[in-house]
Amino acid sequence: MNIKEILKKEWFILVILLIPFGVSAYLWNDLPDIVPTHFNAKGEADDWGPKWVNALMLPGIGLGTYLLMVFLPAIDPKKRITSNQKAIAAIRVITSLFIVAVYGIVIRISLGHSFSFQGYVPVGVGILFIVIGNYINSVKPNYFIGIRTPWTLENETVWKKTHRLGSKLWIIGGLLLLLSPFLPLMNHNTTFLSIVFIMVAIPFIYSFIAFKNLSS
């Protein structure tokens, strides 16, 4: 599928990604000149900047990320990415929706409305990991998408084993994050960060161990 066909098929994603620009233009005069641009683990603002950061740069990141994933086959020097179109399509769609959702939250806060991150962020991140985890196992070796460590990129068997583990781990971890706001014992920032850390760290360490075992 070429770039033109992808954009034609996923026109609705482009529309969703462009909506924030229209919203920002409509709300521009209502936004304060200085807005919160960074939040700590508790969801509290700990850094501020000009309103264009939230109003324009954030939706720009969403649109730019989507277009980059669309154009990956054209810039891949060895054309390995072309065999991963289904997985990449799912990843770029869920990533785009996630960034637009984050934009909506940030703009609401920028306008002075209160918002609790405690319930929504774990759910959003959980859904993101579940979807990516569901497709990551089918991603073949490439330079752009996947668990790209020095050892997975060096050996195709290590790539397959690491992504098989990562897929299961991310789906389980995503489900835990999704359910965490409804489980009192897990509704804690430390728990959220610990789950995310485990999902990232274990595949990285496993890829090194798997590579060493194959090399010995």
Side-chain angles (χ1 to χ4, degrees):
M1 184 180 295
N2 58 40
I3 294 172
K4 185 177 180 180
E5 291 174 338
I6 291 174
L7 294 176
K8 184 177 180 180
K9 183 178 180 180
E10 298 178 3
W11 62 269
F12 64 97
I13 294 298
L14 280 173
V15 171
I16 291 173
L17 288 168
L18 290 173
I19 287 176
F21 290 99
V23 172
S24 294
Y26 179 77
L27 296 174
W28 186 260
N29 292 330
D30 295 326
L31 290 168
D33 292 332
I34 301 299
V35 297
T37 56
H38 190 272
F39 304 87
N40 59 27
K42 295 181 180 180
E44 301 168 341
D46 57 9
D47 196 10
W48 289 261
K51 61 183 176 181
W52 63 263
V53 173
N54 291 348
L56 299 177
M57 190 174 77
L58 185 54
I61 290 173
L63 180 61
T65 301
Y66 173 79
L67 292 176
L68 175 61
M69 285 192 279
V70 169
F71 281 87
L72 282 181
I75 63 176
D76 183 4
K78 293 190 177 180
K79 305 302 178 184
R80 294 178 176 179
I81 204 75
T82 54
S83 60
N84 296 307
Q85 285 299 325
K86 184 177 180 180
I88 294 175
I91 292 171
R92 64 175 173 252
V93 168
I94 191 64
T95 301
S96 298
L97 295 176
F98 180 79
I99 294 177
V100 171
V102 171
Y103 164 82
I105 293 172
V106 170
I107 286 297
R108 178 179 173 83
I109 295 174
S110 298
L111 289 169
H113 300 289
S114 60
F115 187 89
S116 174
F117 281 81
Q118 298 290 346
Y120 293 94
V121 172
V123 170
V125 175
I127 294 173
L128 186 67
F129 270 108
I130 290 171
V131 174
I132 294 177
N134 187 55
Y135 285 94
I136 202 71
N137 190 36
S138 63
V139 174
K140 297 180 180 179
N142 68 90
Y143 296 120
F144 303 101
I145 302 294
I147 305 172
R148 294 171 293 109
T149 71
W151 310 288
T152 57
L153 292 174
E154 182 68 22
N155 187 284
E156 186 172 351
T157 300
V158 175
W159 175 284
K160 290 180 179 178
K161 288 185 175 181
T162 301
H163 281 73
R164 190 179 302 120
L165 172 66
S167 176
K168 297 176 181 177
L169 190 64
W170 288 5
I171 291 174
I172 294 172
L175 286 172
L176 290 175
L177 291 175
L178 185 63
L179 296 173
S180 62
F182 311 102
L183 302 175
L185 295 177
M186 292 183 61
N187 191 7
H188 194 278
N189 292 322
T190 303
T191 303
F192 171 77
L193 294 175
S194 298
I195 294 174
V196 173
F197 176 78
I198 290 172
M199 287 191 290
V200 173
I202 289 182
F204 183 87
I205 296 171
Y206 176 81
S207 67
F208 171 75
I209 295 173
F211 183 81
K212 285 297 183 181
N213 289 339
L214 288 175
S215 300
S216 61

